[in-house]
Amino acid sequence: MSDALLRVVWSPGSDHLTGVCHCGAEYRADGPIEVWQWLLAHPDHEAGIEAADHGASTEAPGHGASVETVGHGASIEASDREASVETLGHEASPEASID
Amino acid sequence: MVFPRNQWYVAAYGEEVGDGLLARTICGEPIVFYRTRSGDAVALADRCVHRRFPLSEGHRDGDRLVCGYHGFTYEPDGSCVAVPAQKRIPRTARVPVYPVVEQDSLVWVWIGDGDADPTAIPRAPWLAADGWVVVRGMEPLEARYELLVDNLMDLSHETYLHGGYIGTPEVAETPITTSVDEEAGVVRVSRRMKDVECPPFYANSTGIKGRIDRWQDIEYQPPCLYLLHSRIAPAGLEPAPDGDDSAAFHAEIVYGITPSTETTTFDFWMVARDFALDDPEVTTYLAESNRTVVMQDVVALNLLEKVIATEPEGYQELSINIDTGGLAARRLLQRMTDGS
């Protein structure tokens, strides 16, 4: 994959989005704000996320501990992330609106 | 006024720039366009250096522009060569010149101060290539350009706003794949529909009677150029293994999204097709139908602009999966604006 390509797949039949970073790490999110936050955090993704129905977690290349979030234990709060995402949309930062 | 600067923008169609004086405000900058006798498009600041009178309200003297207020006369390079009733021309008597490039039948203008690299202009070759027929128009929007970007990056709105033309239930129901090339600064959104209803826009133009496979592959090169690679084929017809897809119908939907002011936009829309090339009825049908679709968007976006103007500070939007591409586009635009 390109060194600069970030991809989001909306899986058929699912309400979830799967973010695929150019480093190979993947993350399953419940919405677009969340998935872009995670992708833009590279290389500081807090976790690689495996599909919930796969059970075991896996470690993403070059990243820290993997965490299952979808329907399982730990979840990552957007506010905990370091990446700046204020331009993603009004939800993330009202002051960065398109005005 | 904040726009992405140091960028190329579509200012006009080639045929709009001619012997007359065309006034267009691009990214808040009033510009007058005309074509010299040798055929070159020229863009000058549309303000006389003397008392601000719009040069577009003056007249031409050969390749020169004469201000309609006091007669200040300018060369295509912006230098003033005549002022009334005196021989000395002040050293500062000059209007800014904008770099202009004509490519793919479009007149691009550079807004900014940096290096106006013509190779940075994104391409839309179908607009001037053999084997394609183009219909197009331009609608002024009373809305900020970001609203048009939002609109075009999420085509699920076709189902609701453009039913009976290009919208069918499957558009809003089909998942999308979004990608961002951070280096190239391109957002792509792909929606591949299999065995779906053929909307009238394509049924009437291609002649397909039954169900179709319909691909919508968006390629947005912010800030200005939006491409929708549209593939229409009878259901089940895939491209050949060698890539030959000549049995399918292709339409290249192109938009030039050009900010005029903070709350107005030039909506350049184009439809290039590789089928029914010699059928004027299809040409007329697509031109009329697409303009109808564009005007449906214009009405909606103009309404949105009014809503925004009256909403309380800090209004919070809600984004869902369909907005994945639109959010990516917003981020790239913000990055460009910040970098300006």
Side-chain angles (χ1 to χ4, degrees):
Chain A
M1 186 179 293
S2 161
D3 285 346
L5 193 67
L6 306 175
R7 202 157 56 92
V8 179
V9 179
W10 182 5
S11 306
S14 166
D15 286 345
H16 303 297
L17 299 170
T18 300
V20 183
C21 184
H22 53 76
C23 67
E26 294 191 11
Y27 179 80
R28 179 176 282 193
D30 287 334
I33 296 280
E34 181 186 357
V35 80
W36 286 123
Q37 284 175 332
W38 184 85
L39 284 165
L40 295 171
H42 176 88
D44 298 320
H45 303 304
E46 291 196 4
I49 309 301
E50 194 180 56
D53 53 357
H54 289 178
S57 63
T58 58
E59 190 167 328
H63 298 268
S66 299
V67 181
E68 295 174 69
T69 60
V70 185
H72 298 269
S75 64
I76 300 172
E77 295 299 327
S79 59
D80 292 339
R81 300 201 180 94
E82 294 178 358
S84 173
V85 291
E86 58 266 22
T87 61
L88 282 173
H90 291 187
E91 300 99 323
S93 176
E95 66 270 21
S97 71
I98 58 176
D99 292 338
Chain B
M1 206 173 297
V2 180
F3 302 105
R5 289 178 57 80
N6 297 325
Q7 301 291 336
W8 291 98
Y9 289 92
V10 175
Y13 294 127
E15 65 269 22
E16 291 184 288
V17 178
D19 293 338
L21 303 177
L22 174 68
R24 288 237 158 106
T25 296
I26 311 287
C27 295
E29 303 192 17
I31 303 173
V32 57
F33 297 87
Y34 66 101
R35 195 176 293 280
T36 65
R37 288 169 296 183
S38 61
D40 296 327
V42 173
L44 299 177
D46 194 15
R47 289 286 184 273
C48 181
V49 71
H50 176 224
R51 288 293 183 267
R52 304 183 187 86
F53 196 72
L55 296 176
S56 57
E57 296 297 319
H59 65 273
R60 290 182 59 166
D61 176 10
D63 284 345
R64 295 173 173 171
L65 277 192
V66 181
C67 179
Y69 195 8
H70 297 98
F72 276 56
T73 302
Y74 299 92
E75 294 278 13
D77 67 0
S79 60
C80 182
V81 293
V83 299
Q86 67 179 60
K87 293 179 180 174
R88 187 183 68 81
I89 298 170
R91 186 172 46 82
T92 55
R94 167 180 290 276
V95 294
V97 182
Y98 291 81
V100 170
V101 170
E102 287 195 78
Q103 182 170 274
D104 301 327
S105 78
L106 304 174
V107 177
W108 292 84
V109 66
W110 173 261
I111 301 295
D113 309 309
D115 179 25
D117 177 8
T119 65
I121 299 174
R123 301 301 305 262
W126 316 275
L127 301 178
D130 291 338
W132 295 83
V133 172
V134 181
V135 296
R136 60 189 185 180
M138 192 281 284
E139 312 301 335
L141 264 180
E142 297 293 325
R144 63 196 65 194
Y145 80 98
E146 294 97 326
L147 292 176
L148 183 54
V149 175
D150 273 355
N151 171 277
L152 294 172
M153 294 304 292
D154 167 27
L155 296 182
S156 69
H157 80 273
E158 290 183 353
T159 301
Y160 306 98
L161 195 56
H162 305 308
Y165 291 89
I166 55 177
T168 62
E170 294 97 339
V171 176
E173 295 168 358
T174 304
I176 53 177
T177 298
T178 303
S179 67
V180 177
D181 187 325
E182 292 282 320
E183 285 179 359
V186 178
V187 183
R188 294 182 174 84
V189 180
S190 178
R191 178 184 270 109
R192 300 288 178 93
M193 293 168 274
K194 305 278 288 182
D195 190 18
V196 296
E197 177 186 337
C198 188
F201 185 84
Y202 286 120
N204 294 335
S205 58
T206 65
I208 295 178
K209 303 297 183 191
R211 295 174 71 78
I212 59 170
D213 290 347
R214 183 181 182 188
W215 296 1
Q216 293 178 322
D217 294 332
I218 295 170
E219 187 178 357
Y220 176 46
Q221 303 176 58
C224 190
L225 190 70
Y226 171 97
L227 309 174
L228 169 60
H229 310 292
S230 178
R231 176 187 186 268
I232 307 295
L237 178 67
E238 295 286 334
D242 65 358
D244 177 27
D245 198 29
S246 55
F249 301 84
H250 302 90
E252 296 290 343
I253 318 294
V254 181
Y255 280 83
I257 305 169
T258 302
S260 182
T261 67
E262 284 186 3
T263 56
T264 60
T265 304
F266 296 114
D267 179 346
F268 294 92
W269 59 266
M270 297 147 264
V271 179
R273 70 178 193 273
D274 70 351
F275 55 91
L277 300 180
D278 300 321
D279 191 332
E281 290 186 8
V282 170
T283 299
T284 300
Y285 173 77
L286 287 178
E288 292 177 351
S289 296
N290 206 68
R291 183 169 189 277
T292 299
V293 168
V294 168
M295 291 310 296
Q296 289 169 337
D297 284 330
V298 168
V299 170
L301 300 184
N302 289 357
L303 182 58
L304 273 180
E305 185 62 50
K306 290 179 179 174
V307 170
I308 291 172
T310 58
E311 74 188 8
E313 192 80 15
Y315 177 80
Q316 298 281 303
E317 287 181 321
L318 173 67
S319 294
I320 60 172
N321 291 357
I322 57 175
D323 303 305
T324 302
L327 293 182
R330 284 185 186 183
R331 182 175 62 81
L332 293 190
L333 287 168
Q334 189 66 54
R335 188 171 75 183
M336 288 178 156
T337 302
D338 293 344
S340 300

